[in-house]
Amino acid sequence: MSVPANSAVKTYRYLRLAMIAMIGLLVTSLVIEWWNTGPSCLQTSISAYYYTPAQAIFVGILITIGACMVILKGSTEPEDILLNVAGMLAPAVALVPTPGEGTCRSVPATFGDPSANIANNMLALFIIGAPCLVLTAVFVLRSKPELKYLAGLAVAAAVFVGGIVWFFWNREGFDEGAHYTAALAMFICIIIVVIVNAQQYHRKPATASKPSTRNPYAVIAVAMVVAPLLLAAYKWIFGWDHAVLWIEGVLIFLFALFWISQTKELWNEGLREEVGPQQQPGTPDQPSPAYRSTS
């Protein structure tokens, strides 16, 4: 049985659409919980909805999106490394709850033992993650890679080993701080991914997937940097309990907007051909045949 020439592109499409659907599912679950608690009652952060009936969706979506970010190949090596790191951090954001459980929930909370949950879930993640990382290293090293690919492997290993060391060396500190650390690092990686895409899109010659000089990624990147700073400044000046909620919400919305824009751009290409800073504009865009759609 022959493999269709555009099967790789179709796989990219399905993964990308799945991520958009997952974000929509998370938002829908949060809105339902907000509706059930009343319009004036909001948790102080999206992460605090872990302690509400939206918990299963919250945890499942973050793990799913994390897996998708690792699976999807970035168009450039920096983008790929950043997506991998963000994808590795997403399960930690999901499985290590924020210490602040909040007060707005539609049903009485039964918290159980968060520390025991963290111990079980993170240990399982580390046990399964270790052979996955080793297998990845085997695949990478077997192909005699360039330095940039070794750098990506080293970054992934450093994040993974750092998490293990923190988990076993200072469990109390891990339980209290891993969520915030992972969430902040994940969002930083995502913001840099958008900046990298803005740069590459600017260098990309005009094609059917780039019909004009407008750069949607640049707009999203600026918004991702400016909006959280403005919201944080407002909180610092006036005091605002829900600043983190809005910062997270804005970043998730902008990430969804970025993902939709990139999916639209790369619908028929799968991957964007990397364009170096010295490459002359006007060079025809020629993605690898493995990723070119025949439809």
Side-chain angles (χ1 to χ4, degrees), residues 8-210:
V9 173
K10 287 184 176 180
T11 300
Y12 266 63
R13 291 173 183 171
Y14 299 153
L15 279 171
R16 290 181 173 280
L17 292 175
M19 287 184 66
I20 296 170
M22 291 301 99
I23 295 173
L25 180 59
L26 174 61
V27 172
T28 302
S29 179
L30 296 179
V31 169
I32 291 172
E33 174 62 13
W34 167 71
W35 180 266
N36 289 335
T37 56
S40 62
C41 192
L42 287 167
Q43 292 282 62
T44 55
S45 69
I46 289 178
S47 299
Y49 280 92
Y50 175 94
Y51 299 100
T52 72
Q55 180 188 99
I57 292 292
F58 175 80
V59 173
I61 292 304
L62 279 173
I63 293 175
T64 301
I65 289 178
C68 288
M69 285 195 287
V70 172
I71 293 168
L72 278 168
K73 178 75 173 69
S75 293
T76 65
E77 193 58 25
E79 180 183 0
D80 197 46
I81 293 172
L82 290 163
L83 285 175
N84 288 343
V85 172
M88 292 173 65
L89 293 169
V93 178
L95 299 175
V96 182
T98 176
E101 65 271 10
T103 58
C104 286
R105 56 186 64 87
S106 58
V107 296
T110 54
F111 298 140
D113 186 353
S115 180
N117 294 342
I118 294 170
N120 177 286
N121 297 336
M122 290 305 300
L123 183 58
L125 185 65
F126 289 138
I127 290 173
I128 295 301
C132 291
L133 185 61
V134 170
L135 190 60
T136 300
V138 170
F139 288 148
V140 171
L141 296 175
R142 189 171 60 179
S143 61
K144 298 180 180 179
E146 300 176 23
L147 181 60
K148 61 182 180 180
Y149 299 111
L150 293 175
L153 179 62
V155 170
V159 171
F160 187 77
V161 172
I164 291 177
V165 171
W166 190 10
F167 179 78
F168 286 104
W169 178 61
N170 184 4
R171 179 65 59 80
E172 183 178 354
F174 185 91
D175 291 356
E176 293 179 356
H179 177 88
Y180 298 123
T181 302
L184 180 61
M186 181 184 71
F187 277 124
I188 289 174
C189 286
I190 290 172
I191 292 171
I192 299 175
V193 164
V194 180
I195 294 173
V196 169
N197 273 267
Q199 183 184 56
Q200 284 293 309
Y201 190 82
H202 174 71
R203 296 171 182 168
K204 181 178 180 178
T207 63
S209 62
K210 185 190 176 183

